Amino acid sequence: MELSRSSQREMMDAAVDAEDAVDTGDHPLFARMPSSVSFNKLRKRLLRQVRQAFDDFGMLKGSKRWLVGVSGGKDSYSLLALLMDLKWRGLLPVELIACNLDQGQPNFPKHILPDYLASIGVKHRIEYRDTYSIVKEKVPTGATYCSLCSRLRRGNLYRIAREEGCDALVLGHHREDILETFFMNFFHGGRLASMPAKLLNDEGDLTVLRPLTYAAEDDLAKFAAAMEFPIIPCDLCGSQDGLERNAMKAMLADIERRMPGRKDTMLRALGHVNPSHLLDPNLFDFQSLSPEPKE
């Protein structure tokens, strides 16, 4: 008999509790973590959600070495910490390499990430590529830089992953990122698409993984604040994400405020698609659909 989602969560929580009972201690990264019950619950919830994403999307199949993108924001710091936590427990048999791409933004504090990563004993690579100048040259005055900046960053991360012998690039996109992207495509792109939890790149030699697919942005913000990560602001270049994404974020926040739990419901909907009840003839053969002839 198939277990309900709540039963699966309870079993996974019990497994984490059992692992804690025989744990030899925490990774040095967690040396100053809060000892409160609320933080312990938060940490366990995020760990459970990451492991659920591993299982649901086969993220560990064939994986040996991951390049973990670390921007200096709350999401990527939290991603790295949770992956290291699982690896410390013996639950992630993958080598991790943290990578930050310094894109030449004005006033970028170059010392923060290498100093922090070295202090917690994480293998890392800091790469300098002045993509900021390219973006400034290509993007019209007054427009946001984020889209082109992101594409240039992704291309460089693919290159670095290959140079480091990695089979996957791991990114810190979370539940809200996925939902916002879906609604941006829905309202402005005229298509049903979002950020997949697992993606094969165009060349077919790397996967892109998003282990925080089920994690809520609010939970990651609380986790990052409690862990006192040295956050680097995302607006150093003077540009912030476009008005369209901000509108989607505000819309989703308003829906969640009026109807708590809707974000989780919408995320589940992205995993339960019925092509015959949509309008895409490429996904469902409507042409051959006809009633059986009457005798």
Side-chain angles (χ1 to χ4, degrees), residues 8 30 51 69 105 135 155 164 166 212 214 256 263 275 278:
Q8 292 175 353
F30 291 88
R51 295 182 69 191
Q105 296 101 325
V135 172
E164 293 291 342
C166 297
L212 297 182
Y214 296 135
E256 185 71 15
K263 286 183 179 180
L278 297 174

Side-chain angles (χ1 to χ4, degrees), residues 33-106:
M33 72 175 184
S35 58
S36 65
V37 172
S38 61
F39 178 81
N40 191 41
K41 288 182 177 180
L42 172 62
R43 179 186 179 189
K44 286 183 178 180
R45 178 164 64 251
L46 290 170
L47 288 171
R48 183 193 71 227
Q49 290 168 339
V50 170
R51 295 182 69 191
Q52 189 69 56
F54 286 171
D55 293 342
D56 287 352
F57 302 103
M59 292 186 181
L60 299 183
K61 291 182 179 178
S63 291
K64 296 181 180 178
R65 192 175 171 94
W66 287 356
L67 188 76
V68 183
V70 181
S71 65
K74 68 181 190 313
D75 305 327
S76 60
Y77 273 129
S78 297
L79 170 66
L80 180 62
L82 294 166
L83 294 179
M84 290 171 60
D85 197 353
L86 290 170
K87 186 170 178 61
W88 185 261
R89 296 165 183 258
L91 300 173
L92 181 58
V94 174
E95 183 178 356
L96 302 176
I97 303 174
C99 178
N100 172 254
L101 182 66
D102 178 351
Q103 296 179 260
Q105 296 101 325

